[in-house]
Amino acid sequence: MGDTIASLKIGEKGVIDDFSLDAIPLSLLEMGCLPGKEVRLIQIAPFLDPLYIKVNGSHLAIRKEMAGQINITKI
């Protein structure tokens, strides 16, 4: 199985691969969480949820469950 945003460690980067549009909320797509975009894990909240990421120049908080559905290629 491939890597996901949830598998990143703090400071690691990846490029978002294709994903099922049905699985991702429209709000994440609107904020630039799109295939081909670079994503970096900034911080993990206490109790490991949510994850704070930087994508498309914006800082976003994303639930770990959702992050586990977005496939990436680590760089």
Side-chain angles (χ1 to χ4, degrees), residues 6-72:
S7 69
L8 290 173
K9 293 181 174 70
I10 293 175
E12 284 187 326
K13 296 179 185 179
V15 175
I16 299 173
D17 295 332
D18 287 331
F19 52 77
S20 169
L21 294 177
D22 296 334
I24 308 301
L26 182 59
S27 58
L28 281 179
L29 300 174
E30 290 173 342
M31 289 186 270
C33 206
L34 298 166
K37 295 293 183 176
E38 185 178 292
V39 60
R40 180 167 56 103
L41 182 62
I42 304 291
Q43 184 178 357
I44 301 172
F47 305 109
L48 306 178
D49 200 11
L51 307 177
Y52 297 97
I53 62 172
K54 182 176 182 181
V55 63
N56 205 32
S58 299
H59 291 144
L60 307 175
I62 183 172
R63 297 196 66 77
K64 189 171 186 174
E65 178 184 354
M66 184 60 54
Q69 296 181 25
I70 302 174
N71 296 319
I72 61 164

